[in-house]
Amino acid sequence: MQKQRIVLLGPPASGKGTQADLIASAYGIPHVSTGALLRSESSRRTDIGLEADSWISKGLLVPDELVIRIVTTWIEKNGSTFLFDGFPRSVSQAEYLDDFLDSLKAPLDLIIVLELADKEIPRRINDRLSCLQCGATCSGKLDAQVEGAPCPRCRKPLVRRNDDTDEAIERRLEIYRELTMPVVDYYNRTSSELVRRIDAEVGSQSVFTSISKLIS
Ligand code: ADP
């Protein structure tokens, strides 16, 4: 049976957003990026967005309480078919998600871990342009895009994210190692039968081919 509740884990720039978009259009599973939801709140200058931005711009995690509020609201509004990209990012978020999905009798059915060598990460991030409106990302080199060019999906200008700076990247990597790698250990302990590791260093189409075999 096709998987319906998927978590996509991996370090910054491992291609989570790209893969989530490919999966969403091939299988109709909604792509939920907590980073994109938070950036959209921030560009609309909502209370949540303004609070979140002070953490995001420093490369720090937004407090669990805020992220959990956003995720719970999303599920209540849209139902329990989803592909989470960037959530859960800490063991306490993972525990919350398990409890919440248990209460809905709709447990996770696949956990994908994208693996990428550390040295590759800053190179990819420095080449990345993002849309703050719809969450699309582009590679400057591969997609021949420049800052300010229209987003290929929604036509808003592409920008360099305010946390795609050398200093914030270092911090995001440290946080990934300290707080998010333990999420992989948590799932290996509690639901090892759902965890699949994928090499994310190859091209995005090859990564997608491997992922497709896991979903259908
Ligand atoms: P990347 O995977 O490239 O780091 P994201 O768009 O997933 O980018 O996240 C950007 C930022 O948004 C994170 O550095 C963090 O500040 C915030 N964020 C996103 N998801 C979460 C989460 N689940 N918990 C806490 N903060 C989050």
Side-chain angles (χ1 to χ4, degrees), residues 149-190:
C151 166
R153 203 154 65 188
C154 75
R155 316 306 292 166
K156 289 271 171 186
L158 292 169
V159 296
R160 189 163 294 280
R161 275 168 39 180
N162 67 357
D163 60 340
D164 280 353
T165 60
D166 289 341
E167 203 183 312
I169 292 168
E170 243 347 280
R171 194 154 318 133
R172 280 157 64 202
L173 267 175
E174 271 164 34
I175 289 178
Y176 181 77
R177 284 187 213 110
E178 260 172 48
L179 296 174
T180 310
M181 302 267 280
V183 175
V184 179
D185 300 335
Y186 167 84
Y187 284 132
N188 277 330
R189 270 197 319 277
T190 59

Side-chain angles (χ1 to χ4, degrees), residues 10-28:
S14 54
K16 299 187 295 292
T18 305
Q19 294 304 322
D21 280 344
L22 291 170
I23 296 165
S25 44
Y27 298 98

Side-chain angles (χ1 to χ4, degrees), residues 16 34-35 39 56 60 62 67 86 89 93 128 161 172:
K16 299 187 295 292
T34 42
R39 281 189 292 280
I56 295 176
L60 297 171
V62 170
V67 177
R89 243 181 169 90
Q93 292 180 12
R128 170 161 84 175
R161 275 168 39 180
R172 280 157 64 202

Side-chain angles (χ1 to χ4, degrees), residues 2-3 22-30 208 211-213 215-216:
Q2 188 188 299
K3 303 292 189 282
L22 291 170
I23 296 165
S25 44
Y27 298 98
I29 305 171
F208 180 58
I211 290 180
S212 295
K213 293 183 190 142
I215 294 182
S216 45

Side-chain angles (χ1 to χ4, degrees), residues 5 28 54 90 97 168 188 190 198 212:
R5 284 176 290 283
S54 60
S90 64
L97 182 64
N188 277 330
T190 59
I198 302 271
S212 295

Side-chain angles (χ1 to χ4, degrees), residues 1-7 27-32 71-84 97-110:
M1 219 172 58
Q2 188 188 299
K3 303 292 189 282
Q4 311 236 354
R5 284 176 290 283
I6 306 171
V7 160
Y27 298 98
I29 305 171
H31 169 197
V32 189
V71 167
T72 311
T73 308
W74 191 94
I75 294 177
E76 285 169 352
K77 220 158 116 193
N78 300 282
S80 51
T81 298
F82 52 73
L83 184 145
F84 279 131
L97 182 64
D98 273 350
D99 288 348
F100 185 54
L101 294 180
D102 273 353
S103 75
L104 301 176
K105 303 211 178 341
L108 290 177
D109 46 26
L110 180 63

